[in-house]
Structure formats: structure tokens, C-alpha cells
């Protein structure tokens, strides 16, 4: 049995069918009320996975508020992961790094690889996703993804929304915003034989493009977690869920 086969069957199926939807509360979001709203919206909107900051209390809160949606925890400190897993997290995620770039904190390939190895040593049987930093040239992103899989990564996640500089309004601007992470998903999905999640800067408009580029699923954060109204959050999650129908139609 592979580690991915330990995940709930419904989540496995979504990954296999390239329709996995992860709603991200935020790696730096330790606000319980905010995480609870995101988790409730994710559960009501049909998300397959919720990504929260690496805190045991937030894990328990997200599971309860969402009605049992599987939880992934994100951190760049591997030693934080075991307690969150004990609290019920089914997956750990190294990254993404968007929250660190404004602080001038850059993750290079060697550091990401070292974090991956430390995490795998701590948690040999837990599903692990690793984000490839978008600041690397594309060929180095591909090589790092290959090295990460060799070191025990079960999924690879892309990013790039913070580096995008959209200069157009409307749908064109949304496509410009998503371009870096879409490009990474296209390249990396052809370089590794594990599922790739495309995240950072995505919307319902660009979700089908991520799937067409080779992603097995998407991670969406600010499109949901920046909202204050829970009904609006649910509507966005449902809109993302519905967008997978367009992705299937595109593939066919």
C-alpha cells in the first residue's frame, strides 16, 4: 500500500480523477474564528481538503467545523508536524512560501530538500506534499520536484501568485495572475510521476487551465479566505467545485 492509499477513498478518487479541491486557510492564519469560517465554507461548498496552519487546536477545529473534511497542515518547521498529525491531520505540506516573500525570506532548492528529508524522517508513513518555490528557474523547479519525490514527497505543489503582475482587468487579469503557477504545473507534471497540485493565484476562471496543464487538483486560498461573509465564501467554493466540470469538458 502506498501512502496515498491511506487517504480517505473520496480524496483518493478526486486525486485520481484530477478533480481535487483544496481550500487553504493560510499558513500564517492562526485566527480560530477565521479558520472556522473557512472550514465551514469548505465543507458546505464541496472541498476535498482543507489546508490550515500547523496547530493541533486548528486541526481539531477545522475537522469539526467542516463536518469531517480531511485536513492538511502547512509549515516550514518539520518538528511542528507530529503534534498536528496526532490531532487528526491526514497530510502535511511543506510550504507554500507566499507568506514569507514579503519578509524577504527566500527558500532555495537545498533548504526545501532538507526540510523534506527531515519531515520524512519524523513521519515515515504520513502523506507529504511539498511546494516547489516559484523563484527558481523552471528547469530548476523540475529538477527539485524530481529530487523531492526521490526523497519521499507524495505530492508536489506549485506556486507563483505573488510574483505575477497582472496588468489587465477581468478574465485576462485572472489569467495573468495564474500564469506562473500554471506554467510550473505544466512542466512539473511532466517531470514527476506523482500528483501535482496547482496553487497560488487561481480562480474559477483559471482552475480548468490548471487541470488542462496536468494538475491533479488545485489549492485556492485568498479567493476564499480574504472574504468576511461566510455565504460569499461558500459561493466561491461551490463555484470552484463547479469549474471542474469545465475542466473535464476541456479534457474530453
Amino acid at each position: 500500500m502506498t501512502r496515498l492509499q491511506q487517504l480517505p477513498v473520496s480524496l483518493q478518487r478526486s486525486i485520481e480523477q484530477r478533480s481535487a479541491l483544496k481550500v487553504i486557510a493560510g499558513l500564517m492564519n492562526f485566527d480560530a474564528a477565521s479558520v472556522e469560517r473557512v472550514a465551514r465554507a469548505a465543507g458546505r461548498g464541496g472541498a476535498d481538503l482543507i489546508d490550515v496552519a500547523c496547530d493541533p487546536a486548528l486541526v481539531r477545529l477545522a475537522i469539526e467545523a467542516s463536518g469531517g473534511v480531511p485536513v492538511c497542515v502547512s509549515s516550514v518547521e518539520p518538528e511542528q508536524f507530529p503534534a498536528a498529525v496526532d490531532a487528526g491531520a491526514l497530510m502535511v505540506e511543506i510550504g507554500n512560501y507566499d507568506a514569507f516573500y514579503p519578509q524577504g525570506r527566500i527558500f532555495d532548492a537545498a533548504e526545501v530538500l532538507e526540510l523534506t528529508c527531515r519531515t520524512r524522517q519524523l513521519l515515515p508513513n504520513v502523506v507529504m506534499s511539498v511546494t516547489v518555490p516559484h523563484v527558481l528557474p523552471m528547469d530548476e523547479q523540475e529538477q527539485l520536484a524530481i529530487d523531492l519525490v526521490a526523497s519521499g514527497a507524495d505530492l508536489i505543489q506549485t506556486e507563483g501568485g505573488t510574483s505575477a503582475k497582472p496588468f489587465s482587468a477581468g478574465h485576462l487579469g485572472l489569467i495573468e495572475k495564474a500564469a506562473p503557477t500554471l506554467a510550473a504545473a505544466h512542466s512539473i507534471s511532466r517531470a514527476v510521476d506523482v500528483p501535482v497540485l496547482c496553487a497560488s493565484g487561481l480562480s474559477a476562471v483559471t482552475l480548468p487551465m490548471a487541470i488542462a496543464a496536468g494538475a491533479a487538483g488545485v489549492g485556492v486560498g485568498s479567493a476564499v479566505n480574504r472574504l468576511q461573509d461566510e455565504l460569499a465564501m461558500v459561493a466561491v467554493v461551490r463555484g470552484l467545485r463547479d469549474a471542474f466540470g469545465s475542466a473535464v469538458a476541456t479534457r474530453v
Side-chain angles (χ1 to χ4, degrees), residues 77-93:
E77 298 180 41
E79 288 72 22
Q80 294 181 345
F81 285 137
V85 170
D86 289 342
L90 297 183
M91 186 187 303
V92 299
E93 159 75 29

Side-chain angles (χ1 to χ4, degrees), residues 227-240:
L227 301 173
Q228 297 300 313
D229 181 79
E230 197 170 312
L231 287 177
M233 296 167 79
V234 173
V236 170
V237 177
R238 287 180 176 168
L240 291 164

Side-chain angles (χ1 to χ4, degrees), residues 194-216:
V194 302
V196 172
L197 296 180
C198 186
S200 185
L202 295 178
S203 65
V205 171
T206 51
L207 182 155
M209 298 178 188
I211 302 306

